[in-house]
Amino acid sequence: MNKNKLKLLSLMLSMIVVTGCSTTQGSFNEKSHFSYPNSNVKALGAFKVTKSRTSFLIPPSFTREEELELMNEALNQKSGADLLVNYTVNTKFTRIPIIPFYTVEVTMEGTAASMKVGTQKLRPLIDGSNYQ
């Protein structure tokens, strides 16, 4: 019976040690860069980039430069991309309570687009919209 109690106690301690808590927070952004008036913005496709960091004792953080690196990685996924539109930035923070072990994961996803400065071509848009 003592062996069973010891096994149960070790199982409970193991569960406490490996149990963690995760929280996610995010933001929605309309665009990453200024888009000039009268420019033609064309969607090139979806993108998704993720970066994570793990630390012991002190929770990790991301700097502005690392956020810009994420943005550049996203732009590099689609050839000719100048800006990101309708994208989200989600941060997932995971902590294991007994052991001071932290993980932070930042995910950026949305649509990469190209911008051509010039005069917008509105006639094809109006004709294609079935607007009378």
Side-chain angles (χ1 to χ4, degrees):
M1 187 135 152
N2 285 338
K3 269 189 165 181
N4 288 338
K5 285 184 180 180
L6 184 61
K7 284 182 182 180
L8 183 61
L9 181 63
S10 64
L11 179 64
M12 287 174 49
L13 286 174
S14 297
M15 289 178 65
I16 290 172
V17 167
V18 297
T19 303
C21 176
S22 291
T23 57
T24 302
Q25 72 179 43
S27 65
F28 176 80
N29 300 297
E30 183 182 322
K31 57 188 171 191
S32 62
H33 298 81
F34 178 76
S35 59
Y36 291 96
N38 285 340
S39 64
N40 295 310
V41 178
K42 179 182 175 187
L44 299 175
F47 72 89
K48 183 176 182 177
V49 291
T50 302
K51 191 172 195 169
S52 65
R53 177 168 292 145
T54 303
S55 72
F56 187 71
L57 288 177
I58 299 170
S61 62
F62 283 87
T63 63
R64 175 75 178 140
E65 289 77 24
E66 290 168 321
E67 198 172 310
L68 290 173
E69 284 176 20
L70 264 177
M71 202 173 284
N72 287 330
E73 283 181 40
L75 290 170
N76 290 334
Q77 282 188 3
K78 299 294 178 184
S79 179
D82 300 316
L83 70 153
L84 309 175
V85 294
N86 300 333
Y87 70 98
T88 59
V89 179
N90 294 318
T91 305
K92 181 179 179 182
F93 181 79
T94 304
R95 177 178 171 256
I96 297 177
I98 302 298
I99 305 169
F101 185 75
Y102 304 93
T103 300
V104 175
E105 180 180 89
V106 177
T107 303
M108 185 181 288
E109 61 184 314
T111 304
S114 67
M115 176 180 53
K116 184 177 178 187
V117 179
T119 306
Q120 287 187 349
K121 299 171 185 132
L122 298 177
R123 179 51 55 195
L125 292 173
I126 293 171
D127 293 341
S129 69
N130 295 327
Y131 181 73
Q132 303 280 354

